[in-house]
Amino acid sequence: MDVLRDYALLALRVDRLVTQHPTGSWILDYRGPARWLDEVANEPLPNPADLVRAAQDMAAAVADNDPAMAEQVRALHTIARRLTGEQLPFPEQVRGMLGIDAAWIPDEVFGEAYQLLDEALPETKGTLAQRLHAWRTAHSLPPGRPERLSELIHLALTETRRRTEALLSLPEKLAVTVEFAPGPFRGLHRGGTAGSVFVDPNLPFNLADLFYVVAHEAVPGHICEFMMKEIHQGHRPDIQVRFMPSPAYVVSEGLGLHAPQVLFPDDEAQHWLLDNIEELQPDSSNYAKIQHARNILWGAYCNASLLLADATPWPKVRDYLADTALVSDDELTFLQGFLSTPFTEPYIFTYYHGWRLLQPHLNDPSFLRRALTEQLAVSSLKVG
């Protein structure tokens, strides 16, 4: 078996069927030979049952020799099973596509987040959600200032790169652009040392979150991670052919959420921002505590996904997100589609569970270097 070729063809064939699905979606990031793209594009649409068998054969060939690769193949097998019309219980989908267990997260877990927010937000009138939304508004650059926002993101990139280079060696030149497009923040590695950070020009940008966004999406987060893995392990099939949702993104999102605090321990980010961003004014808030609380509240998004899988009507799920995760109206509008799109529904679990899985390992100074340059199996991160 030619694992690279067979893995690429399997992912490309799954992609053709997902693309044909009336409401389904996923993201395939293909960096393999163009001839395999042409081969799949010019052949008849595959039978999903054949893809299930192909994934099973590949899983047997990979076996335990490469746990990270085996997890990616298992994700393709799970998606292929769904494409046959098999009705998989949602927790089984999450386990197959991400390698994690989708259990309900008790409300007591979120109590820590609420306490952190109550301590970290200015003491103003209103509910905790109202105080959080007011804090965001007070620290936001309004829409309509793309040149200034681009300038600030590049300024933050320079600082995150400087701090990342104290942890591992980066290529001499990084070409990261800022692009404006509707939708959530996202970092795209374009190959080599190039990448783009995407920002929605129609929404305010919370400048207190500048490093929370830039360290997550660019350096040392997504763009940097994919660039470094391409440099160090570009021969691997699961580096040349990436798809989401998949177990690799559990590691990626965990890295992204931890990246700001790794680079800026304690309140260093807040001090830097107040010293360098003229639009920000000192107040009694604590940026690091607020961001830590929000990382905990990603767990409530997982619970919302479980509610939807149990056929809970969207208005009830919306209320749960607003009350428990303290989600704003803008976020709720986006989440309705994101949480219910076939094949991408499990992705929301990558944030909270990736953050939790990586947490015990970050005390080891060498772990971040490994996570940015090696393809780590989700199973290798589980403690106890």
Side-chain angles (χ1 to χ4, degrees):
M1 172 178 280
D2 182 339
V3 175
L4 173 57
R5 180 179 184 276
D6 291 350
Y7 181 78
L9 293 179
L10 176 59
L12 288 168
R13 287 166 180 150
V14 167
D15 182 62
R16 279 197 72 189
L17 292 181
V18 172
T19 303
Q20 295 277 333
H21 192 278
T23 59
S25 177
W26 79 332
I27 294 176
L28 177 68
D29 182 10
Y30 180 78
R31 309 290 173 96
R35 65 182 182 278
W36 295 343
L37 267 174
D38 295 338
E39 178 181 340
V40 172
N42 292 315
E43 66 187 17
L45 275 177
N47 183 331
D50 292 337
L51 301 185
V52 171
R53 287 189 287 272
Q56 290 169 337
D57 292 343
M58 183 168 294
V62 173
D64 297 326
N65 299 328
D66 187 338
M69 181 68 180
E71 289 178 352
Q72 295 298 111
V73 173
R74 193 174 303 117
L76 286 173
H77 179 250
T78 303
I79 297 170
R81 289 172 65 191
R82 292 189 64 185
L83 287 166
T84 66
E86 184 177 353
Q87 299 297 311
L88 299 174
F90 189 59
E92 186 176 344
Q93 294 177 40
V94 175
R95 190 178 306 111
M97 294 171 74
L98 299 178
I100 56 180
D101 292 324
W104 182 268
I105 298 164
D107 289 346
E108 294 75 35
V109 171
F110 309 130
E112 180 187 356
Y114 302 146
Q115 182 175 343
L116 285 168
L117 288 173
D118 190 42
E119 295 169 356
L121 291 167
E123 293 185 6
T124 56
K125 292 181 180 180
T127 64
L128 203 55
Q130 289 169 337
R131 290 167 62 193
L132 177 60
H133 301 330
W135 175 81
R136 284 175 174 158
T137 300
H139 291 76
S140 289
L141 187 74
R145 299 189 61 190
E147 296 85 2
R148 177 57 174 161
L149 183 52
S150 180
E151 178 186 1
L152 292 173
I153 291 173
H154 280 293
L155 184 66
L157 273 167
T158 300
E159 183 64 13
T160 59
R161 172 174 180 154
R162 184 184 74 81
R163 290 174 179 249
T164 301
E165 285 183 321
L167 303 172
L168 77 162
S169 177
L170 298 178
E172 184 177 349
K173 293 184 179 179
L174 295 181
V176 178
T177 62
V178 179
E179 300 192 23
F180 294 93
F185 302 119
R186 53 202 185 277
L188 173 65
H189 175 231
R190 295 190 178 278
T193 60
S196 298
V197 176
F198 288 85
V199 182
D200 193 328
N202 302 311
L203 296 176
F205 186 98
N206 182 0
L207 294 175
D209 277 350
L210 186 58
F211 288 128
Y212 194 69
V213 173
V214 170
H216 185 136
E217 304 296 344
V219 180
H222 298 330
I223 294 172
C224 179
E225 179 203 353
F226 295 155
M227 174 188 70
M228 296 299 288
K229 287 179 177 174
E230 185 178 80
I231 291 170
H232 290 269
Q233 294 197 315
H235 63 282
R236 288 181 61 94
D238 51 357
I239 297 298
Q240 294 189 35
V241 184
R242 301 189 185 102
F243 58 92
M244 57 182 287
S246 69
Y249 283 89
V250 176
V251 178
S252 294
E253 297 298 356
L255 279 171
L257 289 176
H258 279 291
Q261 193 61 30
V262 169
L263 295 188
F264 299 89
D266 302 319
D267 58 358
E268 287 185 25
Q270 184 165 349
H271 283 297
W272 191 98
L273 291 167
L274 290 171
D275 288 344
N276 291 276
I277 308 299
E278 63 184 26
E279 289 87 352
L280 288 174
Q281 300 300 319
D283 64 5
S284 61
S285 63
N286 184 310
Y287 299 0
K289 275 189 175 182
I290 294 169
Q291 289 163 1
H292 182 72
R294 287 158 59 196
N295 288 343
I296 296 171
L297 291 178
W298 277 111
Y301 294 71
C302 302
N303 287 350
S305 186
L306 292 171
L307 289 173
L308 284 171
D310 285 339
T312 305
W314 171 248
K316 288 189 176 181
V317 178
R318 177 189 174 94
D319 289 345
Y320 174 82
L321 283 165
D323 295 341
T324 308
L326 312 183
V327 177
S328 67
D329 288 342
D330 287 338
E331 292 174 281
L332 287 167
T333 300
F334 165 74
L335 284 169
Q336 182 174 9
F338 182 70
L339 293 177
S340 56
T341 300
F343 307 110
T344 60
E345 317 105 307
Y347 195 83
I348 199 68
F349 290 81
T350 61
Y351 298 98
Y352 178 80
H353 290 277
W355 178 68
R356 285 293 193 196
L357 278 172
L358 267 61
Q359 206 164 28
H361 303 278
L362 288 167
N363 292 327
D364 178 359
S366 68
F367 176 77
L368 182 67
R369 190 178 306 110
R370 286 185 55 230
L372 288 171
T373 58
E374 301 176 21
Q375 195 78 322
L376 300 180
V378 169
S379 59
S380 71
L381 301 174
K382 295 177 180 178
V383 177

